[in-house]
């Protein structure tokens, strides 16, 4: 699924990016829409990972069925493809032109969230692979044991041979079923191994991007903290100045009242005298 095929209306987030051809244009709707789509994709991946974890937990238990294994395989394939799509999207964001501090922060946050989700998914891949291998090994062992079971080759009589022929034919159906099951699981194992290899390369690319942006995010974080501290200090100084101003106004009013009283007394004294 391509991100360009998703026509859903997405809300824009404010950024500090400015176009060189229009200084009054303060944001880039295309960047905001694209990164919001990536964020939605990551959220969907998180839901898939949760479902996959529940299904993998059933493997190797009494609740394991063909349907459970099919759901595990479908979720592994679907989620792996989605990770590849999001990875391509992150590469496009990394190559975006003229990113401002706010957009770089959004980019770094997406990379970190993607890396964390991919790490969790790779862990589930390994669990599924281990359980599939264990199941295939157990099936092969059971098949070998059935193949090594002794058959009647003595001259004890034609009747005994006929009696043993019927269960042997019945067991042959079970053998064929086990062989088919083993082949299916080996195919599933191969598919998981291929996906693991592809996602390992994607993980290295994203880890490299996260490492490159680590210093930038630290600087942005420090600037945010510094701005917060400066804002608090400015607010404190404004409050102090406001208190001083109110106090000064109060003193001026008191002085004015005293002057009015003194002038009134002087005027009355002059009139009465």
């Amino acid at each position: 699924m391509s991100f360009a095929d998703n026509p859903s209306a997405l809300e824009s987030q404010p950024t500090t990016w400015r176009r060189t051809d229009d200084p009054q244009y303060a944001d880039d709707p295309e960047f905001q829409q694209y990164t919001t789509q990536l964020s939605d994709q990551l959220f969907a991946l998180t839901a898939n990972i949760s479902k996959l974890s529940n299904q993998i937990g059933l493997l190797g238990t009494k609740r394991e069925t063909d349907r459970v294994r099919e759901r595990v395989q479908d979720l592994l394939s679907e989620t792996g493809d989605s990770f590849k799509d999001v990875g391509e999207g992150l590469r496009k964001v990394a190559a975006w032109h003229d990113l401002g501090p706010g957009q770089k922060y959004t980019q770094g946050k997406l990379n970190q969230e993607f890396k964390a989700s991919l790490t969790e998914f790779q862990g589930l891949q390994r669990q599924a692979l281990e359980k599939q291998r264990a199941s295939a090994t157990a099936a092969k062992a059971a098949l070998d044991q059935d193949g090594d079971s002794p058959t009647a080759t003595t001259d004890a009589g034609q009747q005994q041979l006929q009696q043993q022929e019927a269960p042997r034919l019945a067991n042959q159906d079970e053998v064929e079923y086990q062989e088919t099951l083993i082949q299916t699981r080996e195919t599933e194992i191969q598919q998981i191994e291929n996906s693991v290899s592809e996602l390992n390369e994607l993980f290295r690319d994203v880890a490299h991007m996260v490492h490159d942006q680590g210093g930038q995010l630290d600087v942005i974080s420090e600037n945010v903290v510094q701005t917060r501290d400066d804002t608090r200090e400015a607010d404190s100084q404004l409050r102090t100045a406001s208190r001083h101003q109110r106090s000064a106004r109060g003193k001026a009013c008191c002085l004015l009242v005293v002057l009015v009283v003194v002038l009134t007394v002087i005027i009355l004294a002059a009139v009465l005298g």
Side-chain angles (χ1 to χ4, degrees), residues 202-215:
L202 177 60
F203 180 84
R204 287 192 296 268
D205 292 343
V206 175
H208 181 68
M209 288 189 290
V210 170
H211 176 74
D212 289 345
Q213 290 179 333

Side-chain angles (χ1 to χ4, degrees), residues 70-82:
E70 182 180 353
R71 282 198 295 265
V72 168
Q73 205 65 23
D74 289 344
L75 284 170
L76 284 171
S77 178
E78 177 186 347
T79 308
D81 290 341
S82 296

Side-chain angles (χ1 to χ4, degrees), residues 14-259:
T15 68
T16 58
W17 186 83
R18 290 183 179 272
R19 294 181 183 273
T20 56
D21 58 344
D22 185 3
Q24 301 300 321
Y25 194 79
D27 57 8
D28 182 3
E30 183 182 359
F31 178 87
Q32 296 307 324
Q33 183 179 18
Y34 196 76
T35 54
T36 303
Q37 288 174 348
L38 288 177
S39 181
D40 291 343
Q41 290 290 328
L42 284 173
F43 182 80
L45 284 175
T46 301
N48 274 9
I49 288 173
S50 178
K51 294 178 184 177
L52 179 60
S53 178
N54 293 334
Q55 294 300 313
I56 289 178
L58 300 179
L59 297 179
T61 68
K62 294 181 180 180
R63 298 176 62 185
E64 177 183 345
T65 62
D66 292 340
R67 179 55 183 157
V68 168
R69 290 192 297 271
E70 182 180 353
R71 282 198 295 265
V72 168
Q73 205 65 23
D74 289 344
L75 284 170
L76 284 171
S77 178
E78 177 186 347
T79 308
D81 290 341
S82 296
F83 268 111
K84 295 173 189 176
D85 288 341
V86 177
E88 289 299 322
L90 291 177
R91 290 191 182 100
K92 181 176 179 179
V93 171
W96 211 278
H97 57 86
D98 296 335
L99 292 180
Q103 291 175 313
K104 289 180 180 178
Y105 181 81
T106 299
Q107 176 191 2
K109 183 178 179 182
L110 286 173
N111 285 339
Q112 290 177 340
E113 290 176 353
F114 179 82
K115 181 181 176 182
S117 297
L118 182 56
T119 299
E120 184 177 1
F121 178 66
Q122 287 177 313
L124 292 176
Q125 279 184 316
R126 287 190 291 270
Q127 289 183 25
L129 194 57
E130 291 171 359
K131 290 188 176 184
Q132 291 282 38
R133 284 173 175 167
S135 178
T137 300
K140 288 179 181 179
L143 188 62
D144 292 341
Q145 184 177 2
D146 291 340
D148 293 339
S149 58
T151 58
T153 57
T154 64
D155 296 332
Q158 185 67 25
Q159 183 178 1
Q160 182 180 3
L161 183 62
Q162 292 177 349
Q163 291 176 350
Q164 292 179 347
E165 184 68 18
R168 188 185 70 81
L169 293 175
N171 289 336
Q172 183 64 29
D173 292 337
E174 178 64 22
V175 169
E176 292 177 354
Y177 171 77
Q178 291 294 338
E179 289 178 344
T180 302
L181 184 61
I182 291 172
Q183 292 176 357
T184 300
R185 292 182 180 177
E186 287 179 345
T187 301
E188 293 174 350
I189 290 172
Q190 184 62 42
Q191 291 174 349
I192 297 175
E193 289 177 341
N194 293 338
S195 179
V196 168
S197 178
E198 293 173 356
L199 291 180
N200 280 339
E201 182 177 354
L202 177 60
F203 180 84
R204 287 192 296 268
D205 292 343
V206 175
H208 181 68
M209 288 189 290
V210 170
H211 176 74
D212 289 345
Q213 290 179 333
Q216 297 177 358
L217 293 179
D218 290 341
V219 171
I220 293 174
S221 178
E222 291 174 1
N223 290 338
V224 170
V225 173
Q226 185 62 42
T227 301
R228 181 199 62 189
D229 294 341
D230 291 344
T231 301
R232 289 179 177 176
E233 180 65 23
D235 180 69
S236 176
Q237 292 178 359
L238 288 174
R239 291 178 183 274
T240 301
S242 178
R243 287 196 299 269
H244 290 167
Q245 189 176 13
R246 288 197 300 269
S247 177
R249 283 200 300 265
K251 293 178 180 179
C253 290
C254 291
L255 181 59
L256 181 60
V257 170
V258 171
L259 289 176

